[in-house]
Amino acid sequence: MKKVNLSLIACAFVGLLSACSGDDGKDGTDGQAGQNGTEGSAGKDGNTGLTSLIDQQALNMGDTHCFFGGVAVHSGVDLNSNGVLNNNEINQTNYVCKPSVLSANGVKLPYTAMRKDLQNGNVEGSVFEIRNGGYGSDMVAHPSIKNQFYALTDRGPNASFTGDYGKGKKFPTPDYTPRIGLFELTATGKVNKLKEILLKRPDGTPISGLPNTSDLGGTGETPYTVEGQPVLVDQAQPFDQTHNPIKLDDYGLDGEGLVALSDGSFWVSDEYGPHIVHFDSDGKEVGRINAFSHDERATINLPQEYAHRRANRGMEGLAITPDETTLVGIMQSTLYNPDKTVKALDITRIVTVNLKTKQIGQFLYKQEKAQNSNSGIVALSNTEFLVIERDGAFYEQNPEAMKRIYKINLEGASDLEQIAETTDLTQDPNLGLLIAGKTLEQTVLESGWDTLSAHAITPVSKSLVLDLVQEIAYPHDKLEGMWLIDNSRLAVLNDDDFATWSTGGVLEQKYLDAAKSKVDGNTLYLFENLTLDK
């Protein structure tokens, strides 16, 4: 049989897929290069691109982003190609703000002199100035103008004095009318007084700052003249209990708390009743709230225990919720509930009054030190508030002075008006909630706050926002007013008592320092970069 060469068969079979081994052939010659093609025609120009624009806008004093004014730098794309950056074309805004022009020393409010003829205490050959200032009992933001605020005076210049007709006060200007001032903070850091609103009775006649009668909250304070004589109905005639008695005023207010509503009207709380009085935009009374059920002027009554307020420590602060439905008042110190044996405590009360439903709420506040003062309150929301807590010391005379602002929350706190009665817990119409027959004040005096806690009675929660002594060595004794500008800015104001003071019943100038070199005056301080919202 003839042999077949298998390698040749395999080579033939695979063809182009593989090369078989064999003898090398000769190299072929290279082909000629082809000619270049002709250039194509130029393409059409693309569409013109959109233009980016920058616009600068000057910001006035009181702007939300830049309180002292500045510049808003807007940038974006000119979508409609009109060369103007319209509002809908802005995609970024940066703010360049002017810095605060107020220093840690604050800025003084303007004043005039009512009197400057009285002997200055025991300083021989010196007279002192009674100032027509006194705008520091409270302050509140103007409802719509960001760089304006209202401030309240109290009953007028006065000083403690005991004369032939008992304990009372000297009134060097007994015909003084309590008032509300409208002020403006300027971009240069100056405060201007724009107008003042005198407080009036419903008939339009001015009220006074003289005490109320005892059945409307008066605590028996006798008003005296600067010479130490009683203030009488007719000062030109001698005292007569029937025909020419000591002059009192049931419309008189010692105002301490202020609310300004968006309709132009005001609410004022005071230390006499306490009364909470509604005034129209001209200062005329249009409504009243107090704890005296026999007072026909009152349209809403506070719980009866509020009639047991401590003299000169009444409803020191007043706020209203942002929806303007509910007044919130805070008492300065512990109520004399039932009497002054409970004086030296740290328990104070907060009352809420719904103006639409007339529903009353009541809450407890625990102070840091016994007999501190809660002297201001302002609403952050319907449940959160800023509260002033202070003592009565001057920092330059006592480095342990305390002037603080706390944030409180009513949520989680016990509403005393809603606590159901049990064997131990009862509601007394005159004294309020009782534990085993004792008022809450008596309970804290005898067994402390633990007894309240054991009965599930919880005070409002509180957290420190600002310590003014630590921040600026706050020099005044009375921190009383707060102007909530926004959620990062808060201004405060002191009560200068018309720059009037007394030692041992002797009238004198009010000084900040023991050396008597610095006269006290209404001073506005501004704090920024705070976190006041939730």
Side-chain angles (χ1 to χ4, degrees), residues 132-145:
N132 187 11
Y135 286 103
S137 288
D138 202 2
M139 71 185 305
V140 66
H142 188 290
S144 59
I145 303 176

Side-chain angles (χ1 to χ4, degrees), residues 92-154:
Q92 184 174 340
T93 300
N94 295 310
Y95 297 95
V96 182
C97 299
K98 294 180 182 177
S100 171
V101 294
L102 298 186
S103 70
N105 295 323
V107 58
K108 301 288 187 181
L109 268 61
Y111 69 89
T112 57
M114 286 191 284
R115 295 187 67 169
K116 46 184 177 181
D117 61 328
L118 300 177
Q119 168 64 29
N120 186 15
N122 59 6
V123 183
E124 187 175 351
S126 173
V127 294
F128 75 97
E129 188 174 65
I130 296 178
R131 295 178 175 177
N132 187 11
Y135 286 103
S137 288
D138 202 2
M139 71 185 305
V140 66
H142 188 290
S144 59
I145 303 176
K146 292 297 185 181
N147 65 320
Q148 293 184 5
F149 63 91
Y150 291 100
L152 176 71
T153 74
D154 59 20

Side-chain angles (χ1 to χ4, degrees), residues 220-239:
E221 287 182 317
T222 300
Y224 290 95
T225 67
V226 72
E227 295 81 15
Q229 298 300 312
V231 176
L232 304 176
V233 172
D234 184 352
Q235 206 64 41
Q237 302 297 320
F239 170 77

